[in-house]
Amino acid sequence: MFERNKNKQTAVTAEQQGSRPDTPPTKTASQASPSPAINRSTAMIGPSIEIKGTVTGDEDLVIQGKVEGSVELSAHQVTVGESGKVNADITARTVRVDGEVAGDIRGNEKVVISKSGNVRGNIVAPRVTLEDGAIFKGSIDMDPGEVPAKVSLAPKTSTSLSEKAPELDLKSG
Amino acid sequence: MNERQSSQLLPGLFESIAEDQCVTVLHLGPVLPETMEYFSGFRCKLHVNDLFAELPLGFQPGDELTVQERMSNLVSFPEGTRFDVCFFWDLLNYLDQDGIIALMECLRPYLAPTTMAHAFVVHNLRSPQRDCRFGIVSTSEIALRSRKHKVPGYAPQSQGKLKEWLDGFAVKRSVLLAESRLELLLEART
């Protein structure tokens, strides 16, 4: 489980974490630094915890420690806290990154990289929000589905360049 | 600084994009929230690479890698990637001849005949450095925000040299802006 420096595949749930007497003490969600959308069924990987393996479960997760491997919580929210360092692919309903992630992120609903977030990897999500100051390198694959208000990137107006030249145009063609 | 600036050339970037097309975009620079908000309404794939964070890219005595080698390490994409739109913003003002040529060589495999690009350069080489980040608000408006740190290596090039070094792109339109800056609409050179 939350053993340091053991390179093996590990599946954990927050319930398991809490039931093990040898589990290192971790903060509860209410003790964690403020983070949006954390509800009462939220597990926490504390700042001193390092995990190598696969993290799965059936509740929301806040990562303030280090995770290497993969995080798979397709129906829940994963928050990488400011002290969190994740070297893993993350799959979740929503993903919020306040810390560091090196890996691919799949958000079934949304991915948010906050102003303190640093992500190197590829993101796939219907919606992605980057706050000012966020550091990101990689690709972002977005498909918002039906968006009636916006149907095309291209302006379908009579101000097409081929029809109307800019006033200060210096070169053409 | 947190400004908005109208653009007469942005519409040209998207003219050839079909309504139901998944747009592949290259963004060479830090991404602003406005850019994400704009593209979040569309099916798209954004490739974000903040080369400004790697500046200066000019060869320095003692460097183990050539500019071409460094650029190759920094600029690579999955096989099969073809960009519809490239945002250079003002990156070309921070690259020397080797840097621009290296960048073009790295990008060439990922350009389609219909690829369009956007860049800010200068009309007058004495045009002052404008330390800001750029984003797209709409097809006619650009967002500008100050940088926290001054970007090193500002050395704008003349239009003649750029035209020669931008192998892979040709200038389709340009518009003179304040402070002798130029906004360029580039099209892939086939």
Side-chain angles (χ1 to χ4, degrees), chain A residues 84-107:
Chain A
K85 293 187 178 180
V86 176
N87 188 0
D89 296 340
I90 301 174
T91 301
R93 178 172 53 81
T94 63
V95 179
R96 179 182 174 86
V97 181
D98 300 321
E100 294 180 21
V101 175
D104 296 341
I105 299 175
R106 176 177 286 275

Side-chain angles (χ1 to χ4, degrees), chain A residues 58-134:
Chain A
D58 196 21
E59 56 192 296
D60 295 347
L61 176 66
V62 176
I63 301 170
Q64 294 286 11
K66 294 181 181 176
V67 174
E68 195 172 310
S70 65
V71 179
E72 297 169 9
L73 294 163
S74 297
H76 297 277
Q77 173 167 320
V78 170
T79 301
V80 179
E82 284 195 24
S83 62
K85 293 187 178 180
V86 176
N87 188 0
D89 296 340
I90 301 174
T91 301
R93 178 172 53 81
T94 63
V95 179
R96 179 182 174 86
V97 181
D98 300 321
E100 294 180 21
V101 175
D104 296 341
I105 299 175
R106 176 177 286 275
N108 295 330
E109 286 186 7
K110 187 179 182 182
V111 172
V112 177
I113 307 176
S114 78
K115 61 185 179 184
S116 61
N118 184 340
V119 174
R120 285 179 175 265
N122 304 313
I123 297 175
V124 178
R127 287 180 296 145
V128 178
T129 300
L130 264 74
E131 295 179 1
D132 193 19

Side-chain angles (χ1 to χ4, degrees), chain B residues 43-78:
Chain B
R43 284 180 63 222
C44 61
K45 186 158 189 171
L46 265 66
H47 292 264
V48 179
N49 194 335
D50 184 8
L51 284 184
F52 290 92
E54 312 294 340
L55 295 173
L57 277 171
F59 186 80
Q60 306 288 333
D63 284 352
E64 292 182 358
L65 299 177
T66 65
V67 173
Q68 175 64 48
E69 289 168 336
R70 288 180 65 192
M71 192 68 80
S72 297
N73 290 339
L74 294 168
V75 181
S76 64
F77 306 98

Side-chain angles (χ1 to χ4, degrees), chain A:
Chain A
M1 196 172 297
F2 296 125
E3 292 171 309
R4 291 174 189 269
N5 305 321
K6 283 198 173 179
N7 190 14
K8 63 179 183 181
Q9 290 284 304
T10 310
V12 297
T13 66
E15 292 90 344
Q16 289 171 329
Q17 175 192 349
S19 64
R20 288 283 296 266
D22 59 342
T23 302
T26 59
K27 293 178 183 177
T28 64
S30 61
Q31 292 171 309
S33 57
S35 188
I38 298 175
N39 59 34
R40 62 182 179 275
S41 59
T42 299
M44 169 84 165
I45 295 173
S48 66
I49 306 299
E50 292 183 25
I51 294 176
K52 291 188 178 181
T54 301
V55 178
T56 63
D58 196 21
E59 56 192 296
D60 295 347
L61 176 66
V62 176
I63 301 170
Q64 294 286 11
K66 294 181 181 176
V67 174
E68 195 172 310
S70 65
V71 179
E72 297 169 9
L73 294 163
S74 297
H76 297 277
Q77 173 167 320
V78 170
T79 301
V80 179
E82 284 195 24
S83 62
K85 293 187 178 180
V86 176
N87 188 0
D89 296 340
I90 301 174
T91 301
R93 178 172 53 81
T94 63
V95 179
R96 179 182 174 86
V97 181
D98 300 321
E100 294 180 21
V101 175
D104 296 341
I105 299 175
R106 176 177 286 275
N108 295 330
E109 286 186 7
K110 187 179 182 182
V111 172
V112 177
I113 307 176
S114 78
K115 61 185 179 184
S116 61
N118 184 340
V119 174
R120 285 179 175 265
N122 304 313
I123 297 175
V124 178
R127 287 180 296 145
V128 178
T129 300
L130 264 74
E131 295 179 1
D132 193 19
I135 298 172
F136 173 74
K137 181 175 181 179
S139 69
I140 299 173
D141 203 333
M142 287 189 290
D143 185 353
E146 290 294 322
V147 186
K150 291 180 178 179
V151 293
S152 173
L153 287 159
K156 303 297 182 187
T157 67
S158 60
T159 56
S160 166
L161 282 175
S162 58
E163 299 169 25
K164 183 181 178 181
E167 291 177 5
L168 293 172
D169 199 15
L170 295 177
K171 291 181 181 175
S172 296

